[in-house]
Amino acid sequence: MNQGSSKVRFINPPGDMSPGATTVHRAGWVIITPCQVIENGCVEVENGLIKDVYRASTRKNGGQNIIDHGPGVLMPALVNAHLHLELSALKNALSFDKGFAVWVQQLLEKREAAGDAVLVSAAQSAAKQLADQGVGYIGEISTLGLTRTIVQSLNLSGVWFQEFLGSDRPDTIIGKTRIGKTNSLSFSLAGHAPHTTDPLLLQAAKNETATRNLPFSIHLAESDAESQFLSGQKGQWTDFLMSRGIDTSSWPIGSKSPVQYLEGLGVLGSSTLAVHLLNIEPRDLDILVGTQTQICLCPRSNLNLHRRLPDIGKMLEKKLAPALGSDSLASCDSLSIFDEMTFIRGKYPNIDPAQVLSMATTNGARALGFDHLAGTLDKGKKSAFIYVDLNVRNKTDLIERVTTHET
Ligand SMILES: [Zn+2]
């Protein structure tokens, strides 16, 4: 969205914790959580944190600075829990209609041909647009390591994941990545997927992140090739790995779904963020619930690449709390989570709009390990919330409009 037609703006930049006088932000509506909404509300902020939230009519005259934003809504910044800024240069460059394997092949070739300078420049432009799209927290997956300095220099919040794949020895590569936490940005590790990454490497990366109290991310149950390979069917995928010098003879595959395979490796858990979950069996959902694994869905990307959508209704029935991601611009039109919500509302008309908004806010913050700072406008959270300019009649109308907002 360009600035001229901007209808979303940040109250404070996400990375801004600068001290300051108490300021009161008023608007027609305040969404504290998707189920807790105030009409004609105020959000009082001090030193970069939310100090109080209340109805404007109950405000005591305290001499604070008051900013009246208008009839729209003050609400939590959105969370894009899974994206690849690093692939932004490949927007509209790959075909979806020749199948996932061809898409992956094209991606590898075109990424190589683009070169680092082009990839960095496109990633930078895409990253700069995130604030205009209301995205305050990200889960960036970086295979080449090119976006680390971008998220740092733009003061983005969330988690930057260095992704691993293949069969390199864990001790030769994991130790080279500096991981840890700053105030609102973590640096952590991700495994690419169960069928592309040596199980020892997955376990080592998971253990390394767990000991540092950091999230670990992995694409899971996304493609048919992955399911077939892990269930023990020899085929194209085995040949492909062999052609790349990856020997899978010691991998514990056979008669397992991707979720069951990762459970067996001990890689699931409350600090693991499993992304996609398209090919799942009923038992898999119980495993994800039982292990308290965090989940993230990217339905727009799934439809483009796999002509299929995740069964969000079943996941919600099981009380799983999906976060949302856009995946990359190589498989999706935008990195906007407003766009992702709008898509979900269109494809899943039976899902409660408030639950869709939770996916984009509270669930995303929890999935990235930032629920103490983000996801709601509760007292003590960071003041990096957003204002969306709209006119609505009532709370139902408000949640309807916010979850179908076009950026
Ligand atoms: Zn991805």
Side-chain angles (χ1 to χ4, degrees), residues 24-32 37-44 52-59 66-75 377 385 387:
V24 177
H25 298 273
R26 194 215 73 89
W29 300 89
V30 175
I31 297 177
I32 302 172
V37 174
I38 298 178
E39 184 171 6
N40 189 16
C42 290
V43 184
E44 200 168 306
D52 207 355
V53 187
Y54 44 80
R55 279 180 181 279
S57 57
T58 63
R59 198 177 77 81
I66 300 172
I67 301 172
D68 194 335
H69 292 274
V73 59
L74 294 167
M75 58 177 280
L377 296 193
F385 50 89
Y387 174 76

PDB file of all heavy atoms in Angstrom, residues 24-32 37-44 52-59 66-75 377 385 387:
ATOM      1  N   VAL A  24      -1.956   9.961  25.745  1.00  0.00           N
ATOM      2  CA  VAL A  24      -3.228   9.261  25.649  1.00  0.00           C
ATOM      3  C   VAL A  24      -3.651   9.248  24.185  1.00  0.00           C
ATOM      4  O   VAL A  24      -3.728  10.289  23.542  1.00  0.00           O
ATOM      5  CB  VAL A  24      -4.310   9.956  26.512  1.00  0.00           C
ATOM      6  CG1 VAL A  24      -5.656   9.254  26.340  1.00  0.00           C
ATOM      7  CG2 VAL A  24      -3.895   9.973  27.971  1.00  0.00           C
ATOM      8  N   HIS A  25      -3.893   8.050  23.652  1.00  0.00           N
ATOM      9  CA  HIS A  25      -4.368   7.900  22.275  1.00  0.00           C
ATOM     10  C   HIS A  25      -5.845   7.556  22.318  1.00  0.00           C
ATOM     11  O   HIS A  25      -6.238   6.573  22.936  1.00  0.00           O
ATOM     12  CB  HIS A  25      -3.592   6.780  21.573  1.00  0.00           C
ATOM     13  CG  HIS A  25      -2.124   7.062  21.465  1.00  0.00           C
ATOM     14  ND1 HIS A  25      -1.582   7.762  20.422  1.00  0.00           N
ATOM     15  CD2 HIS A  25      -1.100   6.771  22.306  1.00  0.00           C
ATOM     16  CE1 HIS A  25      -0.271   7.874  20.592  1.00  0.00           C
ATOM     17  NE2 HIS A  25       0.042   7.278  21.735  1.00  0.00           N
ATOM     18  N   ARG A  26      -6.664   8.386  21.656  1.00  0.00           N
ATOM     19  CA  ARG A  26      -8.108   8.124  21.636  1.00  0.00           C
ATOM     20  C   ARG A  26      -8.526   7.756  20.225  1.00  0.00           C
ATOM     21  O   ARG A  26      -7.975   8.263  19.237  1.00  0.00           O
ATOM     22  CB  ARG A  26      -8.893   9.358  22.076  1.00  0.00           C
ATOM     23  CG  ARG A  26     -10.359   9.063  22.402  1.00  0.00           C
ATOM     24  CD  ARG A  26     -11.310  10.193  22.024  1.00  0.00           C
ATOM     25  NE  ARG A  26     -11.490  10.282  20.585  1.00  0.00           N
ATOM     26  CZ  ARG A  26     -12.424   9.620  19.888  1.00  0.00           C
ATOM     27  NH1 ARG A  26     -13.267   8.801  20.483  1.00  0.00           N
ATOM     28  NH2 ARG A  26     -12.509   9.764  18.561  1.00  0.00           N
ATOM     29  N   ALA A  27      -9.528   6.866  20.126  1.00  0.00           N
ATOM     30  CA  ALA A  27     -10.106   6.545  18.815  1.00  0.00           C
ATOM     31  C   ALA A  27     -11.533   6.041  19.020  1.00  0.00           C
ATOM     32  O   ALA A  27     -11.956   5.765  20.155  1.00  0.00           O
ATOM     33  CB  ALA A  27      -9.272   5.480  18.108  1.00  0.00           C
ATOM     34  N   GLY A  28     -12.263   5.938  17.916  1.00  0.00           N
ATOM     35  CA  GLY A  28     -13.651   5.478  17.985  1.00  0.00           C
ATOM     36  C   GLY A  28     -13.781   4.108  18.623  1.00  0.00           C
ATOM     37  O   GLY A  28     -14.768   3.803  19.292  1.00  0.00           O
ATOM     38  N   TRP A  29     -12.752   3.280  18.409  1.00  0.00           N
ATOM     39  CA  TRP A  29     -12.769   1.916  18.951  1.00  0.00           C
ATOM     40  C   TRP A  29     -11.367   1.520  19.408  1.00  0.00           C
ATOM     41  O   TRP A  29     -10.381   1.988  18.846  1.00  0.00           O
ATOM     42  CB  TRP A  29     -13.220   0.914  17.874  1.00  0.00           C
ATOM     43  CG  TRP A  29     -14.591   1.195  17.347  1.00  0.00           C
ATOM     44  CD1 TRP A  29     -14.919   2.009  16.299  1.00  0.00           C
ATOM     45  CD2 TRP A  29     -15.827   0.698  17.871  1.00  0.00           C
ATOM     46  NE1 TRP A  29     -16.279   2.030  16.132  1.00  0.00           N
ATOM     47  CE2 TRP A  29     -16.866   1.231  17.077  1.00  0.00           C
ATOM     48  CE3 TRP A  29     -16.156  -0.161  18.926  1.00  0.00           C
ATOM     49  CZ2 TRP A  29     -18.202   0.943  17.307  1.00  0.00           C
ATOM     50  CZ3 TRP A  29     -17.495  -0.459  19.157  1.00  0.00           C
ATOM     51  CH2 TRP A  29     -18.498   0.095  18.349  1.00  0.00           C
ATOM     52  N   VAL A  30     -11.315   0.637  20.417  1.00  0.00           N
ATOM     53  CA  VAL A  30     -10.048   0.042  20.823  1.00  0.00           C
ATOM     54  C   VAL A  30     -10.255  -1.466  20.920  1.00  0.00           C
ATOM     55  O   VAL A  30     -11.138  -1.931  21.648  1.00  0.00           O
ATOM     56  CB  VAL A  30      -9.557   0.585  22.193  1.00  0.00           C
ATOM     57  CG1 VAL A  30      -8.288  -0.168  22.621  1.00  0.00           C
ATOM     58  CG2 VAL A  30      -9.287   2.082  22.130  1.00  0.00           C
ATOM     59  N   ILE A  31      -9.481  -2.217  20.143  1.00  0.00           N
ATOM     60  CA  ILE A  31      -9.510  -3.681  20.268  1.00  0.00           C
ATOM     61  C   ILE A  31      -8.381  -4.076  21.218  1.00  0.00           C
ATOM     62  O   ILE A  31      -7.200  -4.009  20.850  1.00  0.00           O
ATOM     63  CB  ILE A  31      -9.311  -4.375  18.899  1.00  0.00           C
ATOM     64  CG1 ILE A  31     -10.468  -4.023  17.949  1.00  0.00           C
ATOM     65  CG2 ILE A  31      -9.205  -5.889  19.070  1.00  0.00           C
ATOM     66  CD1 ILE A  31     -10.312  -4.615  16.535  1.00  0.00           C
ATOM     67  N   ILE A  32      -8.742  -4.439  22.442  1.00  0.00           N
ATOM     68  CA  ILE A  32      -7.718  -4.913  23.396  1.00  0.00           C
ATOM     69  C   ILE A  32      -7.335  -6.341  23.005  1.00  0.00           C
ATOM     70  O   ILE A  32      -6.175  -6.671  22.826  1.00  0.00           O
ATOM     71  CB  ILE A  32      -8.243  -4.860  24.852  1.00  0.00           C
ATOM     72  CG1 ILE A  32      -8.669  -3.436  25.192  1.00  0.00           C
ATOM     73  CG2 ILE A  32      -7.184  -5.369  25.826  1.00  0.00           C
ATOM     74  CD1 ILE A  32      -9.372  -3.285  26.523  1.00  0.00           C
ATOM     75  N   VAL A  37     -13.467  -5.393  23.365  1.00  0.00           N
ATOM     76  CA  VAL A  37     -13.442  -4.193  22.525  1.00  0.00           C
ATOM     77  C   VAL A  37     -14.104  -3.045  23.279  1.00  0.00           C
ATOM     78  O   VAL A  37     -15.119  -3.229  23.936  1.00  0.00           O
ATOM     79  CB  VAL A  37     -14.213  -4.457  21.207  1.00  0.00           C
ATOM     80  CG1 VAL A  37     -14.321  -3.192  20.371  1.00  0.00           C
ATOM     81  CG2 VAL A  37     -13.527  -5.565  20.409  1.00  0.00           C
ATOM     82  N   ILE A  38     -13.529  -1.858  23.189  1.00  0.00           N
ATOM     83  CA  ILE A  38     -14.096  -0.673  23.841  1.00  0.00           C
ATOM     84  C   ILE A  38     -14.501   0.331  22.773  1.00  0.00           C
ATOM     85  O   ILE A  38     -13.716   0.620  21.869  1.00  0.00           O
ATOM     86  CB  ILE A  38     -13.057   0.008  24.763  1.00  0.00           C
ATOM     87  CG1 ILE A  38     -12.622  -0.917  25.886  1.00  0.00           C
ATOM     88  CG2 ILE A  38     -13.607   1.295  25.335  1.00  0.00           C
ATOM     89  CD1 ILE A  38     -11.556  -0.296  26.775  1.00  0.00           C
ATOM     90  N   GLU A  39     -15.715   0.853  22.892  1.00  0.00           N
ATOM     91  CA  GLU A  39     -16.126   1.936  21.990  1.00  0.00           C
ATOM     92  C   GLU A  39     -15.683   3.263  22.597  1.00  0.00           C
ATOM     93  O   GLU A  39     -15.769   3.455  23.807  1.00  0.00           O
ATOM     94  CB  GLU A  39     -17.655   1.917  21.805  1.00  0.00           C
ATOM     95  CG  GLU A  39     -18.093   2.964  20.800  1.00  0.00           C
ATOM     96  CD  GLU A  39     -19.565   2.818  20.426  1.00  0.00           C
ATOM     97  OE1 GLU A  39     -20.261   1.979  21.033  1.00  0.00           O
ATOM     98  OE2 GLU A  39     -20.001   3.568  19.530  1.00  0.00           O
ATOM     99  N   ASN A  40     -15.248   4.177  21.755  1.00  0.00           N
ATOM    100  CA  ASN A  40     -14.739   5.477  22.206  1.00  0.00           C
ATOM    101  C   ASN A  40     -13.705   5.278  23.308  1.00  0.00           C
ATOM    102  O   ASN A  40     -13.921   5.659  24.453  1.00  0.00           O
ATOM    103  CB  ASN A  40     -15.896   6.366  22.683  1.00  0.00           C
ATOM    104  CG  ASN A  40     -15.426   7.788  22.940  1.00  0.00           C
ATOM    105  OD1 ASN A  40     -14.343   8.193  22.508  1.00  0.00           O
ATOM    106  ND2 ASN A  40     -16.221   8.549  23.681  1.00  0.00           N
ATOM    107  N   GLY A  41     -12.589   4.665  22.963  1.00  0.00           N
ATOM    108  CA  GLY A  41     -11.618   4.260  23.973  1.00  0.00           C
ATOM    109  C   GLY A  41     -10.326   5.043  23.937  1.00  0.00           C
ATOM    110  O   GLY A  41     -10.011   5.746  22.968  1.00  0.00           O
ATOM    111  N   CYS A  42      -9.591   4.913  25.033  1.00  0.00           N
ATOM    112  CA  CYS A  42      -8.278   5.552  25.154  1.00  0.00           C
ATOM    113  C   CYS A  42      -7.235   4.503  25.517  1.00  0.00           C
ATOM    114  O   CYS A  42      -7.501   3.604  26.317  1.00  0.00           O
ATOM    115  CB  CYS A  42      -8.295   6.590  26.271  1.00  0.00           C
ATOM    116  SG  CYS A  42      -9.274   8.037  25.903  1.00  0.00           S
ATOM    117  N   VAL A  43      -6.047   4.668  24.942  1.00  0.00           N
ATOM    118  CA  VAL A  43      -4.907   3.835  25.327  1.00  0.00           C
ATOM    119  C   VAL A  43      -3.829   4.789  25.815  1.00  0.00           C
ATOM    120  O   VAL A  43      -3.369   5.658  25.078  1.00  0.00           O
ATOM    121  CB  VAL A  43      -4.366   3.019  24.132  1.00  0.00           C
ATOM    122  CG1 VAL A  43      -3.246   2.085  24.595  1.00  0.00           C
ATOM    123  CG2 VAL A  43      -5.474   2.224  23.451  1.00  0.00           C
ATOM    124  N   GLU A  44      -3.469   4.626  27.094  1.00  0.00           N
ATOM    125  CA  GLU A  44      -2.475   5.509  27.687  1.00  0.00           C
ATOM    126  C   GLU A  44      -1.114   4.830  27.622  1.00  0.00           C
ATOM    127  O   GLU A  44      -0.989   3.673  28.038  1.00  0.00           O
ATOM    128  CB  GLU A  44      -2.878   5.745  29.147  1.00  0.00           C
ATOM    129  CG  GLU A  44      -2.280   6.957  29.782  1.00  0.00           C
ATOM    130  CD  GLU A  44      -2.963   7.256  31.122  1.00  0.00           C
ATOM    131  OE1 GLU A  44      -4.212   7.376  31.163  1.00  0.00           O
ATOM    132  OE2 GLU A  44      -2.233   7.349  32.113  1.00  0.00           O
ATOM    133  N   ASP A  52      -2.469   1.993  30.470  1.00  0.00           N
ATOM    134  CA  ASP A  52      -3.876   1.782  30.823  1.00  0.00           C
ATOM    135  C   ASP A  52      -4.733   1.849  29.553  1.00  0.00           C
ATOM    136  O   ASP A  52      -4.335   2.477  28.570  1.00  0.00           O
ATOM    137  CB  ASP A  52      -4.340   2.873  31.799  1.00  0.00           C
ATOM    138  CG  ASP A  52      -5.474   2.385  32.694  1.00  0.00           C
ATOM    139  OD1 ASP A  52      -5.943   1.245  32.484  1.00  0.00           O
ATOM    140  OD2 ASP A  52      -5.892   3.150  33.583  1.00  0.00           O
ATOM    141  N   VAL A  53      -5.891   1.207  29.605  1.00  0.00           N
ATOM    142  CA  VAL A  53      -6.860   1.265  28.500  1.00  0.00           C
ATOM    143  C   VAL A  53      -8.234   1.463  29.124  1.00  0.00           C
ATOM    144  O   VAL A  53      -8.590   0.751  30.075  1.00  0.00           O
ATOM    145  CB  VAL A  53      -6.861  -0.046  27.677  1.00  0.00           C
ATOM    146  CG1 VAL A  53      -7.747   0.092  26.444  1.00  0.00           C
ATOM    147  CG2 VAL A  53      -5.451  -0.427  27.241  1.00  0.00           C
ATOM    148  N   TYR A  54      -8.998   2.433  28.632  1.00  0.00           N
ATOM    149  CA  TYR A  54     -10.291   2.719  29.266  1.00  0.00           C
ATOM    150  C   TYR A  54     -11.201   3.474  28.311  1.00  0.00           C
ATOM    151  O   TYR A  54     -10.762   3.958  27.259  1.00  0.00           O
ATOM    152  CB  TYR A  54     -10.097   3.537  30.552  1.00  0.00           C
ATOM    153  CG  TYR A  54      -9.107   4.674  30.415  1.00  0.00           C
ATOM    154  CD1 TYR A  54      -9.473   5.885  29.816  1.00  0.00           C
ATOM    155  CD2 TYR A  54      -7.795   4.538  30.867  1.00  0.00           C
ATOM    156  CE1 TYR A  54      -8.569   6.927  29.679  1.00  0.00           C
ATOM    157  CE2 TYR A  54      -6.879   5.571  30.729  1.00  0.00           C
ATOM    158  CZ  TYR A  54      -7.270   6.766  30.130  1.00  0.00           C
ATOM    159  OH  TYR A  54      -6.375   7.790  29.982  1.00  0.00           O
ATOM    160  N   ARG A  55     -12.474   3.600  28.694  1.00  0.00           N
ATOM    161  CA  ARG A  55     -13.417   4.388  27.911  1.00  0.00           C
ATOM    162  C   ARG A  55     -13.064   5.868  28.041  1.00  0.00           C
ATOM    163  O   ARG A  55     -12.723   6.332  29.131  1.00  0.00           O
ATOM    164  CB  ARG A  55     -14.839   4.221  28.473  1.00  0.00           C
ATOM    165  CG  ARG A  55     -15.504   2.970  28.020  1.00  0.00           C
ATOM    166  CD  ARG A  55     -16.896   2.890  28.634  1.00  0.00           C
ATOM    167  NE  ARG A  55     -17.531   1.665  28.226  1.00  0.00           N
ATOM    168  CZ  ARG A  55     -18.122   1.504  27.043  1.00  0.00           C
ATOM    169  NH1 ARG A  55     -18.198   2.504  26.199  1.00  0.00           N
ATOM    170  NH2 ARG A  55     -18.654   0.344  26.730  1.00  0.00           N
ATOM    171  N   ALA A  56     -13.187   6.619  26.957  1.00  0.00           N
ATOM    172  CA  ALA A  56     -12.838   8.047  26.992  1.00  0.00           C
ATOM    173  C   ALA A  56     -13.678   8.779  28.039  1.00  0.00           C
ATOM    174  O   ALA A  56     -13.202   9.705  28.697  1.00  0.00           O
ATOM    175  CB  ALA A  56     -13.057   8.660  25.612  1.00  0.00           C
ATOM    176  N   SER A  57     -14.925   8.343  28.230  1.00  0.00           N
ATOM    177  CA  SER A  57     -15.816   9.047  29.171  1.00  0.00           C
ATOM    178  C   SER A  57     -15.351   8.921  30.616  1.00  0.00           C
ATOM    179  O   SER A  57     -15.747   9.702  31.471  1.00  0.00           O
ATOM    180  CB  SER A  57     -17.238   8.497  29.040  1.00  0.00           C
ATOM    181  OG  SER A  57     -17.217   7.105  29.272  1.00  0.00           O
ATOM    182  N   THR A  58     -14.501   7.937  30.908  1.00  0.00           N
ATOM    183  CA  THR A  58     -14.048   7.773  32.296  1.00  0.00           C
ATOM    184  C   THR A  58     -12.672   8.394  32.532  1.00  0.00           C
ATOM    185  O   THR A  58     -12.100   8.259  33.601  1.00  0.00           O
ATOM    186  CB  THR A  58     -13.952   6.265  32.661  1.00  0.00           C
ATOM    187  OG1 THR A  58     -12.967   5.662  31.810  1.00  0.00           O
ATOM    188  CG2 THR A  58     -15.282   5.572  32.496  1.00  0.00           C
ATOM    189  N   ARG A  59     -12.139   9.083  31.538  1.00  0.00           N
ATOM    190  CA  ARG A  59     -10.791   9.636  31.661  1.00  0.00           C
ATOM    191  C   ARG A  59     -10.750  10.763  32.685  1.00  0.00           C
ATOM    192  O   ARG A  59     -11.592  11.653  32.692  1.00  0.00           O
ATOM    193  CB  ARG A  59     -10.320  10.180  30.315  1.00  0.00           C
ATOM    194  CG  ARG A  59      -8.814  10.379  30.243  1.00  0.00           C
ATOM    195  CD  ARG A  59      -8.406  10.856  28.869  1.00  0.00           C
ATOM    196  NE  ARG A  59      -8.692  12.263  28.695  1.00  0.00           N
ATOM    197  CZ  ARG A  59      -7.906  13.246  29.148  1.00  0.00           C
ATOM    198  NH1 ARG A  59      -6.798  12.957  29.798  1.00  0.00           N
ATOM    199  NH2 ARG A  59      -8.224  14.501  28.956  1.00  0.00           N
ATOM    200  N   ILE A  66      -2.876  14.430  24.629  1.00  0.00           N
ATOM    201  CA  ILE A  66      -3.936  13.585  24.058  1.00  0.00           C
ATOM    202  C   ILE A  66      -3.864  13.671  22.543  1.00  0.00           C
ATOM    203  O   ILE A  66      -3.811  14.759  21.978  1.00  0.00           O
ATOM    204  CB  ILE A  66      -5.332  14.041  24.510  1.00  0.00           C
ATOM    205  CG1 ILE A  66      -5.421  13.973  26.034  1.00  0.00           C
ATOM    206  CG2 ILE A  66      -6.416  13.162  23.897  1.00  0.00           C
ATOM    207  CD1 ILE A  66      -6.671  14.585  26.589  1.00  0.00           C
ATOM    208  N   ILE A  67      -3.858  12.509  21.903  1.00  0.00           N
ATOM    209  CA  ILE A  67      -3.905  12.475  20.442  1.00  0.00           C
ATOM    210  C   ILE A  67      -5.202  11.798  20.047  1.00  0.00           C
ATOM    211  O   ILE A  67      -5.448  10.641  20.414  1.00  0.00           O
ATOM    212  CB  ILE A  67      -2.711  11.705  19.859  1.00  0.00           C
ATOM    213  CG1 ILE A  67      -1.405  12.368  20.291  1.00  0.00           C
ATOM    214  CG2 ILE A  67      -2.795  11.647  18.331  1.00  0.00           C
ATOM    215  CD1 ILE A  67      -0.156  11.590  19.929  1.00  0.00           C
ATOM    216  N   ASP A  68      -6.027  12.540  19.320  1.00  0.00           N
ATOM    217  CA  ASP A  68      -7.292  11.970  18.852  1.00  0.00           C
ATOM    218  C   ASP A  68      -7.084  11.464  17.429  1.00  0.00           C
ATOM    219  O   ASP A  68      -6.869  12.245  16.514  1.00  0.00           O
ATOM    220  CB  ASP A  68      -8.390  13.044  18.898  1.00  0.00           C
ATOM    221  CG  ASP A  68      -9.762  12.424  18.764  1.00  0.00           C
ATOM    222  OD1 ASP A  68      -9.863  11.315  18.180  1.00  0.00           O
ATOM    223  OD2 ASP A  68     -10.734  13.038  19.248  1.00  0.00           O
ATOM    224  N   HIS A  69      -7.156  10.152  17.255  1.00  0.00           N
ATOM    225  CA  HIS A  69      -6.839   9.574  15.944  1.00  0.00           C
ATOM    226  C   HIS A  69      -8.029   9.565  14.994  1.00  0.00           C
ATOM    227  O   HIS A  69      -7.853   9.413  13.799  1.00  0.00           O
ATOM    228  CB  HIS A  69      -6.296   8.155  16.117  1.00  0.00           C
ATOM    229  CG  HIS A  69      -4.957   8.134  16.782  1.00  0.00           C
ATOM    230  ND1 HIS A  69      -3.786   8.269  16.091  1.00  0.00           N
ATOM    231  CD2 HIS A  69      -4.617   8.057  18.090  1.00  0.00           C
ATOM    232  CE1 HIS A  69      -2.761   8.241  16.936  1.00  0.00           C
ATOM    233  NE2 HIS A  69      -3.241   8.123  18.153  1.00  0.00           N
ATOM    234  N   GLY A  70      -9.251   9.664  15.527  1.00  0.00           N
ATOM    235  CA  GLY A  70     -10.419   9.685  14.651  1.00  0.00           C
ATOM    236  C   GLY A  70     -11.387   8.556  14.950  1.00  0.00           C
ATOM    237  O   GLY A  70     -11.316   7.919  16.005  1.00  0.00           O
ATOM    238  N   PRO A  71     -12.294   8.272  13.991  1.00  0.00           N
ATOM    239  CA  PRO A  71     -13.377   7.312  14.254  1.00  0.00           C
ATOM    240  C   PRO A  71     -12.970   5.843  14.136  1.00  0.00           C
ATOM    241  O   PRO A  71     -13.737   4.948  14.480  1.00  0.00           O
ATOM    242  CB  PRO A  71     -14.384   7.639  13.146  1.00  0.00           C
ATOM    243  CG  PRO A  71     -13.534   8.154  12.020  1.00  0.00           C
ATOM    244  CD  PRO A  71     -12.388   8.879  12.666  1.00  0.00           C
ATOM    245  N   GLY A  72     -11.765   5.580  13.662  1.00  0.00           N
ATOM    246  CA  GLY A  72     -11.320   4.201  13.405  1.00  0.00           C
ATOM    247  C   GLY A  72     -10.939   3.451  14.671  1.00  0.00           C
ATOM    248  O   GLY A  72     -11.447   3.730  15.756  1.00  0.00           O
ATOM    249  N   VAL A  73     -10.013   2.505  14.515  1.00  0.00           N
ATOM    250  CA  VAL A  73      -9.710   1.580  15.617  1.00  0.00           C
ATOM    251  C   VAL A  73      -8.218   1.535  15.945  1.00  0.00           C
ATOM    252  O   VAL A  73      -7.368   1.499  15.052  1.00  0.00           O
ATOM    253  CB  VAL A  73     -10.231   0.157  15.275  1.00  0.00           C
ATOM    254  CG1 VAL A  73      -9.617  -0.393  13.986  1.00  0.00           C
ATOM    255  CG2 VAL A  73      -9.991  -0.821  16.422  1.00  0.00           C
ATOM    256  N   LEU A  74      -7.937   1.560  17.233  1.00  0.00           N
ATOM    257  CA  LEU A  74      -6.591   1.258  17.729  1.00  0.00           C
ATOM    258  C   LEU A  74      -6.578  -0.224  18.050  1.00  0.00           C
ATOM    259  O   LEU A  74      -7.461  -0.714  18.759  1.00  0.00           O
ATOM    260  CB  LEU A  74      -6.292   2.082  18.993  1.00  0.00           C
ATOM    261  CG  LEU A  74      -6.211   3.593  18.784  1.00  0.00           C
ATOM    262  CD1 LEU A  74      -6.234   4.332  20.128  1.00  0.00           C
ATOM    263  CD2 LEU A  74      -4.950   3.967  18.008  1.00  0.00           C
ATOM    264  N   MET A  75      -5.610  -0.934  17.528  1.00  0.00           N
ATOM    265  CA  MET A  75      -5.602  -2.401  17.696  1.00  0.00           C
ATOM    266  C   MET A  75      -4.171  -2.925  17.695  1.00  0.00           C
ATOM    267  O   MET A  75      -3.234  -2.210  17.288  1.00  0.00           O
ATOM    268  CB  MET A  75      -6.412  -3.065  16.564  1.00  0.00           C
ATOM    269  CG  MET A  75      -5.896  -2.743  15.178  1.00  0.00           C
ATOM    270  SD  MET A  75      -6.805  -3.618  13.862  1.00  0.00           S
ATOM    271  CE  MET A  75      -6.015  -5.231  13.972  1.00  0.00           C
ATOM    272  N   LEU A 377      -3.677  -5.374  23.449  1.00  0.00           N
ATOM    273  CA  LEU A 377      -3.396  -4.037  23.998  1.00  0.00           C
ATOM    274  C   LEU A 377      -3.568  -4.036  25.518  1.00  0.00           C
ATOM    275  O   LEU A 377      -3.996  -3.048  26.114  1.00  0.00           O
ATOM    276  CB  LEU A 377      -4.300  -2.979  23.360  1.00  0.00           C
ATOM    277  CG  LEU A 377      -4.131  -2.734  21.861  1.00  0.00           C
ATOM    278  CD1 LEU A 377      -4.854  -1.454  21.433  1.00  0.00           C
ATOM    279  CD2 LEU A 377      -2.663  -2.636  21.464  1.00  0.00           C
ATOM    280  N   PHE A 385       1.326  -0.347  18.670  1.00  0.00           N
ATOM    281  CA  PHE A 385       0.056  -0.797  18.111  1.00  0.00           C
ATOM    282  C   PHE A 385      -0.289   0.052  16.895  1.00  0.00           C
ATOM    283  O   PHE A 385       0.468   0.957  16.527  1.00  0.00           O
ATOM    284  CB  PHE A 385      -1.057  -0.788  19.168  1.00  0.00           C
ATOM    285  CG  PHE A 385      -1.196   0.480  19.948  1.00  0.00           C
ATOM    286  CD1 PHE A 385      -2.002   1.502  19.497  1.00  0.00           C
ATOM    287  CD2 PHE A 385      -0.517   0.645  21.163  1.00  0.00           C
ATOM    288  CE1 PHE A 385      -2.145   2.672  20.225  1.00  0.00           C
ATOM    289  CE2 PHE A 385      -0.649   1.818  21.900  1.00  0.00           C
ATOM    290  CZ  PHE A 385      -1.467   2.827  21.424  1.00  0.00           C
ATOM    291  N   TYR A 387      -3.268   2.065  14.180  1.00  0.00           N
ATOM    292  CA  TYR A 387      -4.573   2.699  13.983  1.00  0.00           C
ATOM    293  C   TYR A 387      -5.027   2.365  12.571  1.00  0.00           C
ATOM    294  O   TYR A 387      -4.277   2.533  11.608  1.00  0.00           O
ATOM    295  CB  TYR A 387      -4.472   4.218  14.150  1.00  0.00           C
ATOM    296  CG  TYR A 387      -5.769   4.929  13.816  1.00  0.00           C
ATOM    297  CD1 TYR A 387      -6.844   4.902  14.701  1.00  0.00           C
ATOM    298  CD2 TYR A 387      -5.919   5.612  12.609  1.00  0.00           C
ATOM    299  CE1 TYR A 387      -8.040   5.527  14.391  1.00  0.00           C
ATOM    300  CE2 TYR A 387      -7.116   6.244  12.288  1.00  0.00           C
ATOM    301  CZ  TYR A 387      -8.174   6.196  13.183  1.00  0.00           C
ATOM    302  OH  TYR A 387      -9.362   6.810  12.879  1.00  0.00           O
TER     303      TYR A 387
END
